[in-house]
Amino acid sequence: LATMIWQKPGMVPPPPGEESQTFILPPGWQSYLSPQGRRYYVNTTTNETTWERPSSSPGISASPGPHRSSLPPAVNGYHASGTPAHPPETAHMSLRKSTGDSQNLGSSSPGKKQSKENTITINCVTFPHPDTMPEQQLLKPTEWSYCDYFWADKKDPQGNGTVAGFELLLQKQLKGKQMQKEMSEFIRERIKIEEEYAKNLAKLSQNSLAAQEEGSLGEAWAQVKKSLADEAEVHLKFSAKLHSEVEKPLMNFRENFKKDMKKCDHHIADLRKQLASRYASVEKARKALTERQKDLEIKTQQLEIKLSNKTEEDIKKARRKSTQAGDDLMRCVDLYNQAQSKWFEEMVTTTLELERLEVERVEMIRQHLCQYTQLRHETDMFNQSTVEPVDQLLRKVDPAKDRELWVREHKTGNIRPVDMEI
């Protein structure tokens, strides 16, 4: 169990003398320090990085266009904005001091204690030590971008180890894909309801009930039945538009979204496995170096007390093996740093792509749900228009006038009977 407090990232001031001139970077460019203290430059618009200071002269490009391996490799797989905001509650950790004098690695005394650790390794990923790390600036300050906040692993809620930060992002995207599928199914059900409703309305409009009603009330009743047929047509058109303008675009977008997601499924996980393998090689080489140094120290002590005539020759062999072990460790560390650098670069590129896909998905669904509400509003308006003639005729219903017209047509005589005379 490890508890760590990470310093809040911030802007790194230029070292004395390096940016002493009043040099203004081109728009969108900022300068930072890598964990090794080397200055590099980031285009905050394109996420392009370069060791070379970009030119502000008109017509001169700052550096080649952005590509998947544009981040400076010497950053050791750790961008100046890559500090995890929340480290895992439980993780495998290893503290190491950065080796400044790598040439003396094989002959250093194993008994020396490091005064201060510069890095901390958590689940095979190396971060600056929280007590000594330089201030770091986020890649996209104030934007809460995916590329800034998912470097560390997180404790599994089920208590089964940890979950990689990228895996959390991937799970969110997969959940979004499922939600989009369910929204499409919802619209499909809405279409079925509209089609069934329209069918029932059309059938009801053909019903002969109360067909013999006469007069102005009979006209209004006939219009009621006709309005049902008109309303049925409106709902059929509504269901057709729901299919062509909402459901179908949602399904098509979901298919394209699935294709884009497949590009991100395994690549980052494979790079993380490779990084873990490189870290295991580093630890193995480090252990071998410790053993060689210990062997060298024992033989040196034997020479001092002259226990053997062959001790001096043994010391030479032990020194060569120790030097070789040091070289092996340096090579393993270099391969590890290369693997971490590649993983880091792919993390930045892929998390930004996931972010773009998420924004695109949400915006697309929002637009088509707005289209749904617009169609629904238009349907209500059309439905209202179908009943307006009914309202007009109902206002004109006049029982007295109807009686007059009916009497005029069907009267049998207006002479009333009188009493009989004797």
Side-chain angles (χ1 to χ4, degrees), residues 127-406:
F127 300 103
H129 193 281
D131 295 335
T132 60
M133 70 177 184
E135 292 186 32
Q136 296 179 336
Q137 176 72 8
L138 296 174
L139 269 174
K140 292 192 170 186
T142 74
E143 294 189 27
W144 293 95
S145 175
Y146 291 162
C147 67
D148 280 322
Y149 295 99
F150 291 90
W151 294 105
D153 297 343
K154 187 176 183 180
K155 185 178 180 181
D156 187 349
Q158 308 299 326
N160 302 321
T162 58
V163 180
F166 179 79
E167 183 64 25
L168 292 175
L169 289 177
L170 200 58
Q171 289 174 4
K172 184 180 189 302
Q173 301 302 314
L174 294 175
K175 180 180 178 181
K177 184 177 71 172
Q178 178 63 23
M179 293 303 98
Q180 187 165 339
K181 177 185 177 183
E182 293 179 12
M183 288 179 187
S184 299
E185 292 172 351
F186 177 90
I187 297 298
R188 175 71 260 177
E189 290 301 312
R190 185 72 172 90
I191 291 172
K192 289 180 180 179
I193 291 172
E194 288 297 319
E195 291 173 344
E196 188 67 22
Y197 182 56
K199 179 181 177 181
N200 289 334
L201 285 179
K203 181 179 179 180
L204 184 60
S205 70
Q206 302 298 321
N207 194 292
S208 61
L209 291 175
Q212 295 182 5
E213 179 63 56
E214 300 176 342
S216 57
L217 181 60
E219 292 179 21
W221 177 246
Q223 186 61 46
V224 167
K225 295 170 69 176
K226 182 179 182 303
S227 71
L228 290 182
D230 294 340
E231 187 177 353
E233 185 65 24
V234 168
H235 283 276
L236 277 178
K237 290 180 178 178
F238 177 48
S239 65
K241 286 187 175 182
L242 277 181
H243 173 69
S244 62
E245 299 180 21
V246 181
E247 182 201 19
K248 190 174 180 180
L250 281 176
M251 292 299 294
N252 290 340
F253 182 84
R254 179 174 174 268
E255 290 303 315
N256 294 331
F257 186 79
K258 286 168 61 178
K259 293 177 183 177
D260 290 334
M261 283 296 298
K262 284 183 179 179
K263 301 174 184 177
C264 309
D265 275 352
H266 304 293
H267 192 52
I268 294 294
D270 290 342
L271 289 176
R272 185 68 183 266
K273 289 178 182 177
Q274 183 183 31
L275 182 61
S277 175
R278 296 298 188 192
Y279 179 74
S281 298
V282 168
E283 291 300 289
K284 182 178 179 181
R286 198 185 303 278
K287 182 179 179 181
L289 175 60
T290 300
E291 292 174 352
R292 296 301 184 189
Q293 290 175 335
K294 185 177 180 180
D295 183 56
L296 176 59
E297 186 173 317
I298 291 173
K299 286 182 169 52
T300 302
Q301 292 174 353
Q302 290 176 348
L303 178 63
E304 291 175 355
I305 59 178
K306 298 181 180 180
L307 292 179
S308 172
N309 295 330
K310 295 184 178 181
T311 302
E312 188 172 349
E313 182 64 28
D314 291 340
I315 287 177
K316 291 180 181 179
K317 291 180 180 179
R319 186 175 290 115
R320 285 195 299 268
K321 290 181 179 181
S322 180
T323 301
Q324 181 61 46
D327 293 341
D328 290 343
L329 175 58
M330 290 168 58
R331 179 181 59 81
C332 289
V333 168
D334 184 56
L335 291 174
Y336 168 84
N337 287 338
Q338 291 177 29
Q340 183 167 259
S341 230
K342 187 173 181 181
W343 171 75
F344 169 78
E345 294 165 11
E346 291 295 334
M347 274 285 289
V348 172
T349 302
T350 307
T351 53
L352 288 175
E353 177 65 11
L354 289 179
E355 189 174 301
R356 183 191 68 79
L357 289 174
E358 175 70 5
V359 171
E360 188 177 282
R361 185 188 73 86
V362 171
E363 178 59 23
M364 188 270 181
I365 293 177
R366 186 195 69 80
Q367 290 177 2
H368 284 84
L369 290 182
C370 286
Q371 180 67 8
Y372 167 81
T373 58
Q374 177 64 25
L375 291 173
R376 186 71 182 85
H377 178 64
E378 291 175 0
T379 300
D380 290 340
M381 292 178 62
F382 285 133
N383 285 338
Q384 182 63 31
S385 69
T386 63
V387 297
E388 284 177 0
V390 177
D391 289 338
Q392 294 173 3
L393 288 174
L394 288 175
R395 284 193 294 268
K396 293 179 180 179
V397 170
D398 186 347
K401 184 67 175 177
D402 288 344
R403 185 172 63 250
E404 176 189 346
L405 293 175
W406 190 87

Side-chain angles (χ1 to χ4, degrees), residues 7 95-100 112-120 128-133:
Q7 297 177 358
L95 300 177
R96 301 293 178 197
K97 181 177 177 63
S98 297
T99 306
K112 285 186 180 179
K113 290 188 178 180
Q114 300 167 351
S115 59
K116 204 173 212 181
E117 306 295 348
N118 293 332
T119 61
I120 180 170
H129 193 281
D131 295 335
T132 60
M133 70 177 184

Side-chain angles (χ1 to χ4, degrees), residues 9-62:
M11 181 68 72
V12 180
E18 183 172 336
E19 299 284 349
S20 57
Q21 300 178 355
T22 56
F23 178 80
I24 300 177
L25 292 171
W29 286 88
Q30 293 189 22
S31 64
Y32 304 100
L33 286 181
S34 73
Q36 289 78 19
R38 184 176 176 186
R39 181 162 297 281
Y40 64 103
Y41 302 86
V42 178
N43 187 313
T44 57
T45 302
T46 64
N47 297 321
E48 176 187 353
T49 61
T50 176
W51 294 119
E52 302 296 329
R53 187 169 66 182
S55 171
S56 59
S57 302
I60 301 178
S61 61

